[in-house]
Amino acid sequence: MTFAHRLRPRLVEERASVSPLELFFDLVFVFALTRVTDLMAEDPTGVNLLRGALVMAVLWWSWVGYAWLCNLVRADEGIVRVVMFGAMGAMFITALTIPEAFDDLAGGLDGPVIFALGYFVVRLLHLVMFWVISRTDPQLRGQVLRFAPSMITGTVFLLIASQLTGTAQTVMWILALAGDYLGTLIGGTDWRLRSVSHFAERHGLIIIVALGESIVSIGIGVASLPISWAIIVASLLGLAVSGLLWWSYFDVTSLAVEHAFEEATGARQIRIARNCYSFLHLPMVIGIVMLSLGLKKILSYVGDGNHHRLTDPLYGWPLIALFGGAALYLLALVAFKAYATGSVTVPRVVTAVVLIALLPVVWHIPALATLGVLTAVLVAMIGYEMVRYDQPRDEIRHGGASHP
């Protein structure tokens, strides 16, 4: 076997599973999520929550590109393996600079510039790899050429943003993301997918990764505090919230969408991949990260008796992040399922509205009670769905139906 043959990319099989290297790649994404939560938790203002969401959108687009790439060629074979490790290095450096993504810290290199350059390298490696594997596919090569300007636009605006401050800087970030996302939206549907099951599994696993970060936030919030009954109760409630969000995605919704995804063909299948997975999973992940911020704050409230009492309420932006994050996640799930199947899950829309309406009510109650209210609302939603959609649920999980 020649060296050139060893470097040759290998195509993904139709029913492929996610490779260990892709899971290893996601570990860097996990670290990045924790950095975003820390960025917002240090000073949980509206501006910092917006900044956290913008950083998440940049990180997400870095990750999404490799989800598409590794659906065509195996991540753990040939030159693709080397590219994946190179992208991991660039993303890791980008994650390290998240605290400096907007405001450069004294000393060292220019943080905002390093962040933008790290993002550029991640995207460039992805684009070069697509260029290589499209050499015998004129349709895919044309799609890559139409996609390239969005990457250049995004990086240029991030570099401009690195030299600005305040509102002008935020505007440049928004323009960078608009260039990336809108460029992809209008760039066409000539992409390729080799394995629907792999693509769906890949995005399901990233939801687990994000939910795992919410559990990490619970642990970090009390890591240096002595154990108490309040910490035990709050930790179990926080774990229950994460579990209920997991249930809302994996019990039926992801299966219903995957069935519709498999049945679709041509441009419709590419649009489901792009809109349902690449686009609509972003607000899910942002919602989970916002929820993580609220959980982290609640655990610090109930565990740190020197600075807080059990009667202290969670209020302001951390509370908005907690309830708003859960609501955003649910609404994104509704849109995710509705686009693919045409079915709107009304109970989840109602639950999201209830969570937002409850904000003035829970603003003044103890933080632990606030977490209890959130848990109770989500339990009520899941319980109602289990009863209301019992037969359609069984068909989706065991009979192959498309939707309730």
Side-chain angles (χ1 to χ4, degrees), residues 22 47 71 99 111 115 139 143 191 243 247 256 314 322 384 401:
E22 290 171 275
V47 171
N71 192 262
F115 182 93
Q139 180 177 322
Q143 180 66 70
W191 295 105
W247 191 307
L314 182 73
L322 182 71
Y384 176 82

Side-chain angles (χ1 to χ4, degrees), residues 99-138:
E100 300 183 74
F102 291 88
D103 300 314
D104 185 39
L105 300 179
L109 301 174
D110 190 311
V113 171
I114 297 300
F115 182 93
L117 291 177
Y119 176 64
F120 173 72
V121 172
V122 172
R123 297 292 307 280
L124 180 64
L125 288 172
H126 161 254
L127 193 66
V128 168
M129 199 65 247
F130 254 114
W131 183 263
V132 170
I133 65 177
S134 66
R135 64 187 184 280
T136 59
D137 187 339

Side-chain angles (χ1 to χ4, degrees), residues 15-332:
R15 303 301 299 181
S17 297
V18 174
S19 69
L21 183 55
E22 290 171 275
L23 298 177
F24 190 38
F25 182 85
D26 288 350
L27 293 178
V28 180
F29 193 72
V30 174
F31 173 67
L33 292 182
T34 62
R35 300 289 278 179
V36 173
T37 303
D38 291 342
L39 171 69
M40 298 187 297
E42 185 175 350
D43 183 21
T45 63
V47 171
N48 265 358
L49 263 62
L50 174 60
R51 288 180 170 184
L54 292 173
V55 171
M56 271 303 313
V58 167
L59 295 172
W60 176 255
W61 215 235
S62 301
W63 180 89
V64 159
Y66 289 86
W68 284 85
L69 175 66
C70 296
N71 192 262
L72 291 181
V73 289
R74 290 187 55 174
D76 56 354
E77 294 285 352
I79 188 64
V80 185
R81 177 185 294 192
V82 179
V83 170
M84 290 292 285
F85 278 111
M88 286 173 65
M91 185 177 284
F92 191 63
I93 297 302
T94 302
L96 287 174
T97 58
I98 285 174
E100 300 183 74
F102 291 88
D103 300 314
D104 185 39
L105 300 179
L109 301 174
D110 190 311
V113 171
I114 297 300
F115 182 93
L117 291 177
Y119 176 64
F120 173 72
V121 172
V122 172
R123 297 292 307 280
L124 180 64
L125 288 172
H126 161 254
L127 193 66
V128 168
M129 199 65 247
F130 254 114
W131 183 263
V132 170
I133 65 177
S134 66
R135 64 187 184 280
T136 59
D137 187 339
Q139 180 177 322
L140 182 58
R141 177 62 62 89
Q143 180 66 70
V144 173
L145 287 172
R146 291 192 296 274
F147 176 72
S150 69
M151 183 203 76
I152 297 170
T153 301
T155 304
V156 167
F157 278 121
L158 278 184
L159 285 171
I160 295 173
S162 70
Q163 305 304 307
L164 301 172
T165 59
T167 302
Q169 183 186 50
T170 302
V171 169
M172 288 298 107
W173 269 76
I174 293 172
L175 289 176
L177 291 168
D180 268 335
Y181 284 75
L182 293 178
T184 300
L185 188 63
I186 65 177
T189 55
D190 287 339
W191 295 105
R192 296 281 190 257
L193 282 174
R194 287 189 56 82
S195 175
V196 166
S197 61
H198 174 276
F199 200 78
E201 181 188 10
R202 191 82 181 89
H203 287 77
L205 288 173
I206 210 64
I207 293 297
I208 293 178
V209 164
L211 289 171
E213 199 280 327
S214 71
I215 295 173
V216 169
S217 294
I218 295 171
I220 291 176
V222 294
S224 60
L225 301 175
I227 195 68
S228 67
W229 284 111
I231 288 177
I232 291 174
V233 172
S235 297
L236 290 176
L237 288 173
L239 183 60
V241 168
S242 297
L244 290 162
L245 295 185
W246 174 92
W247 191 307
S248 66
Y249 182 95
F250 289 98
D251 184 58
V252 171
T253 302
S254 64
L255 297 176
V257 173
E258 186 174 349
H259 292 160
F261 193 14
E262 288 177 338
E263 292 168 2
T265 58
R268 169 64 179 169
Q269 189 176 76
I270 297 300
R271 282 194 292 269
I272 290 177
R274 182 191 64 195
N275 297 343
C276 289
Y277 290 94
S278 295
F279 285 166
L280 285 172
H281 273 61
L282 172 59
M284 292 183 210
V285 173
I286 290 177
I288 294 170
V289 173
M290 294 296 175
L291 177 87
S292 300
L293 169 64
L295 291 175
K296 185 173 184 177
K297 287 296 183 181
I298 283 183
L299 266 294
S300 66
Y301 269 45
V302 302
D304 188 0
N306 294 324
H307 299 90
H308 297 283
R309 296 175 299 176
L310 284 177
T311 55
D312 286 349
L314 182 73
Y315 59 90
W317 286 107
L319 177 61
I320 293 172
L322 182 71
F323 274 60
L328 176 62
Y329 176 83
L330 293 175
L331 291 175

